[in-house]
């Protein structure tokens, strides 16, 4: 492997080994290339064996890409590399060592839903009303404490109000309940290795000797526990390389500490620092605009990005009346880009600050028949039917998991109600047994008839498949379980479109187990559940689909697109209103805007609305975002468009003026089957079916390449062609 494809600074950073290395990698400057070349360099030069290298990043997608690139550089398929996310690396470590803390190695990982469900149970046991404090709020507060390395006792010592002390009481009992269920939450995955390192020095020494060179991607996003995990291992040998960009530190709200990268030199004295300032993604216009904004932050390292892709076009700026017109303006620009620059739908990303903004944008895309995909909606593995199946699997591998047990004991419905479950809970407490263990003897709880039979059946099914864990292939085991529990039959009986989708989703889980086993022939069901629990929304993103991508700016981190739309560019929305008067939070919002701009390769369009309907208010009057005002005017081009909306002021009962908005159609043809029509995006097609008349007419059109679309004529702007 030669470093000929690296520029001078990249090459120096790759070959620097004797001292700790800090690489400031500006947006689009090839940080993944540097990381992967560095790993390959360490191995090829014989400096370290593959298994002695630990590389940590933040998403499974990034870890997978790194692994494939290193394999390609080394021209080897079987390389035993430790590349993964913080959570997956820590989880692997805990499977080996957690018995020292009183857990068994087949612990389950609770997601946000499971954590909240457990907190509800804890609050019920403590007689704390949900009207007094919301369980979701409690979960967030507990997570905040854990990120600050505080246990329940530490938190209580700093508590000031009665409510704070109550949450600390919940925290203490919640942590005990997790242990009783042999379960960890996401924060525990990061904290427990630190507990092991502190209580058992031999464990720390073991991993210091195991991982002799450490590399960390996106170092600016590390929180306190992640920082301590890395520094605990690396300070023993000082063989560490971290890569990041302080200007892209956007996760302060979940504990990330920008000081970790800015103070790296203090943690690892004598480190070598490299700045990657050549940008291979964006144009100079985009970089100049982004730099002009982020330079207004005081807490940052200086850097100047130079585009390798030429000057490029100015950033488009569109002023609109409201969110409906904003969506129409976006479609107008998108159609023009497709016509003039021969772009495809997958070239476009529509970014917004909050998920609530997507509704008007989705409405407009649907009306115009434009395919799109939302990142960050309900994740596949959070859907009810999928979660139910996963709860069964979690219970199989860990019969102590009462949250999963409660979820599936009456699914599919088998007549086991809450009163019956309460009887079982009381019996378990009285006998000091696990909840699952008392299910096999219903008569002891005075449960008779059908309920007793169903409890016995449930107990026997779980026991049987628990015994089969080591004997059956995971894919075979899961398919047999699904069949025996009757969950597919349950949805088939309902026979609605929603239930058909649920059946498809369950089958998709079965397929994913098969695919996982094909990739990992020696894996166990526990390994599959672990992979699923650590997936993020972006891990499901498929950049091969020809669809417009919609997502928050946070979700777009690490991605790139030829064209980016940044919507909702108003003060109070981006930046958010509650950040306007907090200097630290405003600087993070500015970094978030910088991230949004630098996702674009060729074009950026900024859109803002003078009026916007917001939750809890009839109308919100917007002022263009200060971030837009911080961009020099010579980098911006005002774009005009013709709106299809008309507005009329109407009175209301209380005398307040209201605005009525109507969509107008200026050109309209009454079409017939066989007509050739032209669509701004799909081109020329033939009408094969139609229904209705006038502006309510719907048409079925077959376009070139056999693309079939159902369109409402009122919105589709179809034109007859001869």
């Amino acid at each position: 492997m030669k470093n000929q494809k690296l520029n001078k600074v990249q090459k120096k950073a790759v070959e620097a080994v004797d001292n700790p290395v800090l690489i400031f990698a500006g947006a689009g400057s090839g940080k993944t290339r540097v990381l992967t070349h560095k790993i390959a360099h360490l191995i090829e030069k014989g400096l370290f064996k593959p298994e002695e290298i630990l590389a940590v990043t933040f998403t499974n997608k990034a870890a997978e890409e790194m692994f494939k690139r290193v394999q390609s550089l080394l021209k080897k398929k079987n390389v035993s590399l430790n590349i993964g996310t913080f959570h997956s690396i820590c989880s692997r470590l805990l499977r080996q060592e957690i018995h020292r803390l009183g857990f068994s190695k087949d612990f389950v990982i609770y997601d946000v839903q499971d954590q909240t469900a457990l907190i509800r149970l804890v609050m019920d046991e403590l007689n704390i009303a949900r009207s007094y404090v919301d369980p979701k709020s409690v979960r967030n507060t507990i997570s905040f404490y854990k990120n600050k390395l505080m246990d329940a006792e530490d938190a209580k010592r700093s508590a000031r109000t009665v409510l704070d002390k109550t949450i600390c009481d919940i925290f203490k009992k919640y942590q005990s309940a997790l242990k009783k269920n042999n379960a960890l939450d996401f924060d525990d995955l990061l904290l427990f290795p630190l507990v092991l390192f502190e209580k058992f020095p031999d464990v720390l020494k073991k991993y210091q000797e195991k991982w002799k060179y450490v590399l960390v991607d996106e170092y600016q996003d590390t929180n306190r526990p992640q920082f301590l995990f890395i520094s605990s291992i690396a300070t023993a040998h000082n063989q560490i390389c971290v890569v990041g960009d302080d200007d892209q530190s956007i996760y302060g709200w979940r504990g990330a500490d920008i000081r970790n990268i800015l103070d790296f030199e203090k943690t690892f004295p004598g480190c070598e620092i490299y700045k990657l300032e050549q940008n291979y993604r964006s144009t100079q216009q985009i970089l100049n605009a982004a730099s002009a904004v982020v330079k207004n932050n005081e807490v940052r390292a200086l850097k100047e990005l130079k585009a390798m892709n030429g000057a490029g076009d100015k950033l488009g700026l569109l002023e609109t009346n409201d969110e409906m017109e904003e969506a129409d303006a976006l479609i107008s620009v998108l159609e023009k880009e497709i016509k003039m620059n021969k772009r495809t739908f997958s070239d476009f990303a529509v970014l917004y600050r909050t998920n609530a903004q997507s509704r008007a944008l989705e409405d407009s895309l649907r009306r115009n028949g434009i395919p799109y995909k939302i990142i960050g909606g309900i994740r596949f593995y959070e859907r009810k039917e999928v979660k139910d199946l996963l709860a069964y699997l979690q219970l199989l591998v860990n019969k102590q998991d009462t949250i999963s047990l409660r979820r599936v004991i009456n699914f599919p419905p088998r007549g086991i109600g809450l009163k019956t479950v309460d009887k079982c809970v009381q019996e378990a407490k009285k006998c000091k047994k696990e909840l699952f263990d008392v299910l096999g003897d219903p008569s002891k709880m005075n449960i008779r008839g059908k309920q007793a039979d169903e409890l016995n059946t449930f107990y026997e099914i779980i026991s049987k498949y628990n015994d089969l864990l080591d004997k059956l292939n995971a894919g075979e085991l899961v398919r047999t379980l699904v069949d025996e529990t009757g969950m597919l039959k349950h949805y088939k009986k309902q026979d609605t479109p929603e239930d058909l989708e649920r059946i498809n989703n369950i089958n998709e889980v079965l397929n994913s187990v098969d695919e996982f086993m094909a990739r990992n022939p020696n894996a166990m069901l526990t390994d599959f559940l672990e992979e699923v629990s650590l997936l993020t929304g972006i891990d499901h993103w498929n950049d091969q689909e020809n669809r417009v991508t919609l997502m928050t700016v946070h979700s777009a981190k690490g991605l790139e697109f030829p064209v980016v739309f940044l919507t909702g560019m108003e003060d109070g929305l981006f930046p958010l209103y509650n950040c306007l008067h907090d200097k630290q939070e405003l600087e993070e919002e500015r970094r978030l805007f910088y991230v949004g701009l630098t996702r674009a390769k060729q074009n950026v369009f900024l859109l803002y609305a003078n009026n916007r309907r917001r939750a809890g208010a009839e109308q919100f009057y917007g002022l263009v975002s200060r971030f837009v005002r911080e961009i020099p005017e010579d980098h911006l081009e005002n774009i005009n468009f013709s709106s299809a909306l008309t507005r009329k002021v109407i009175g209301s009962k209380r005398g307040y003026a209201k605005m009525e908005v109507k969509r107008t159609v200026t050109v309209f043809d009454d079409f017939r089957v066989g007509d050739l029509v032209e669509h701004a995006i799909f081109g020329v097609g033939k009408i094969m079916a139609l229904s209705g008349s006038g502006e309510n007419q719907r048409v079925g059109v077959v376009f070139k390449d056999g693309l079939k679309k159902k369109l409402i004529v009122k919105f589709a702007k179809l034109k007859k062609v001869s």
Side-chain angles (χ1 to χ4, degrees), residues 380 383 385-386 488 491-492 496-512:
F380 175 77
R383 297 175 190 274
E385 63 280 4
V386 174
L488 285 177
Y491 288 125
K492 283 174 184 174
T496 67
E498 292 79 11
D499 289 300
L500 179 61
E501 185 181 350
R502 291 188 178 106
I503 290 168
N504 290 336
N505 288 338
I506 290 172
N507 284 324
E508 187 59 34
V509 176
L510 299 178
N511 292 337
S512 67

Side-chain angles (χ1 to χ4, degrees), residues 634-649:
D634 58 352
H635 294 313
L636 294 171
E637 178 187 356
N638 290 300
I639 297 175
N640 297 316
F641 71 101
S642 55
S643 174
L645 301 172
T646 57
R647 293 165 176 78
K648 182 171 71 174
V649 176

Side-chain angles (χ1 to χ4, degrees), residues 170 230 257 367 432 581 670 693:
I170 298 169
I230 290 300
D257 189 349
R367 276 196 305 270
K432 294 184 179 178
H581 306 294
D670 199 12
S693 61

Side-chain angles (χ1 to χ4, degrees), residues 352-364:
Y352 33 79
R353 179 63 184 85
T354 65
N355 278 307
Q357 291 167 249
S358 72
R359 187 199 56 78
L361 298 164
E362 285 187 78
D363 286 348
S364 192

Side-chain angles (χ1 to χ4, degrees), residues 208-220:
Q208 287 173 337
E209 291 174 354
K210 176 182 172 70
W211 295 322
K212 294 177 179 174
Y213 199 97
V214 178
L215 300 101
V216 188
D217 188 15
E218 304 285 9
Y219 192 67
Q220 78 281 348

Side-chain angles (χ1 to χ4, degrees), residues 81-347:
L81 291 169
N82 299 293
I83 299 180
T85 64
F86 274 98
H87 287 92
S88 65
I89 293 292
C90 289
S91 181
R92 278 180 238 161
L93 183 154
L94 291 172
R95 295 281 174 207
Q96 300 296 317
E97 313 293 345
I98 202 166
H99 62 277
R100 297 170 185 253
L101 301 178
F103 290 76
S104 70
K105 67 176 183 179
D106 53 4
F107 63 83
V108 292
I109 301 167
Y110 277 1
D111 65 12
V112 172
Q113 281 187 43
D114 297 327
Q115 291 167 42
T116 308
L118 184 59
I119 286 168
R120 287 195 192 101
L121 285 177
V122 166
M123 288 173 63
D124 290 344
E125 288 182 23
L126 294 172
N127 293 316
I128 298 168
R130 292 172 201 175
S131 56
Y132 178 61
V133 59
D134 178 41
K136 290 180 182 176
S137 174
V138 174
R139 194 208 73 81
N140 291 337
T141 305
I142 290 173
S143 182
F144 171 80
Y145 286 141
K146 288 187 176 185
N147 274 300
K148 296 291 182 185
L149 300 176
M150 298 168 72
D151 62 18
E153 297 301 326
D154 296 328
K156 197 158 191 174
R157 279 192 288 272
S158 66
R160 295 182 179 179
T161 66
V162 174
L163 177 59
D164 289 342
K165 289 176 181 175
T166 301
I167 291 174
C168 293
D169 291 336
I170 298 169
F171 181 7
K172 185 174 182 178
K173 195 166 181 65
Y174 163 77
Q175 208 59 35
S176 297
L178 279 173
K179 189 167 187 178
K180 191 172 186 303
N181 286 359
N182 195 34
L184 275 64
D185 62 24
F186 290 131
D187 295 317
D188 290 336
L189 289 176
L190 302 178
L191 292 175
F192 280 21
L194 301 180
V195 175
L196 285 164
F197 290 168
E198 185 179 349
K199 287 188 174 181
F200 306 98
D202 59 310
V203 174
L204 175 57
K205 189 177 180 184
K206 173 182 173 180
Y207 288 95
Q208 287 173 337
E209 291 174 354
K210 176 182 172 70
W211 295 322
K212 294 177 179 174
Y213 199 97
V214 178
L215 300 101
V216 188
D217 188 15
E218 304 285 9
Y219 192 67
Q220 78 281 348
D221 291 332
T222 51
N223 60 20
R224 185 70 182 163
Q226 289 162 339
F227 165 77
L228 288 173
F229 177 75
I230 290 300
S231 56
S232 296
I233 292 163
T235 46
H237 43 62
N238 266 2
Q239 295 287 14
I240 182 171
C241 171
V242 302
V243 183
D245 181 6
D246 53 299
D247 287 334
Q248 296 185 69
S249 179
I250 58 173
Y251 294 110
W253 51 275
R254 69 180 189 199
D257 189 349
I258 194 173
R259 286 288 168 193
N260 288 347
I261 190 167
L262 294 176
D263 293 345
F264 181 82
E265 206 171 354
K266 294 178 183 175
T267 311
F268 293 94
C271 72
E272 297 178 35
I273 300 174
Y274 299 91
K275 291 184 181 181
L276 307 183
E277 296 174 306
Q278 286 182 284
N279 177 286
Y280 297 92
R281 177 191 299 149
S282 307
T283 64
Q284 196 64 52
Q285 287 274 15
I286 294 170
L287 296 181
N288 287 349
S291 298
V293 176
V294 82
K295 279 178 181 175
N296 290 288
N297 280 356
E298 291 180 16
V299 181
R300 67 183 293 265
L302 295 175
K303 61 188 83 70
E304 295 288 337
L305 293 182
K306 181 181 178 183
M308 308 308 287
N309 290 338
D313 300 329
K314 293 182 179 183
L315 284 67
L317 180 62
L318 292 93
E319 177 185 5
T320 64
N321 205 14
D322 56 25
E323 73 275 10
M324 291 167 63
E325 193 169 273
E326 177 185 61
D328 281 1
L330 187 150
I331 298 295
S332 171
V333 173
L334 187 145
E335 288 179 346
K336 184 179 175 185
E337 281 289 315
I338 287 175
K339 266 189 168 182
M340 303 294 289
N341 296 319
K342 309 297 181 192
R343 298 199 187 278
T344 60
F345 296 129
S346 57
D347 287 341

Side-chain angles (χ1 to χ4, degrees), residues 9 50 105 148 173 294 317-318 367 371 392 394 414 421 423 474 480 573 652:
V9 182
K105 67 176 183 179
K148 296 291 182 185
K173 195 166 181 65
V294 82
L317 180 62
L318 292 93
R367 276 196 305 270
Y392 264 110
Q394 290 196 164
R414 47 175 67 95
V421 174
K423 281 184 182 180
T480 314
L573 186 54
S652 70

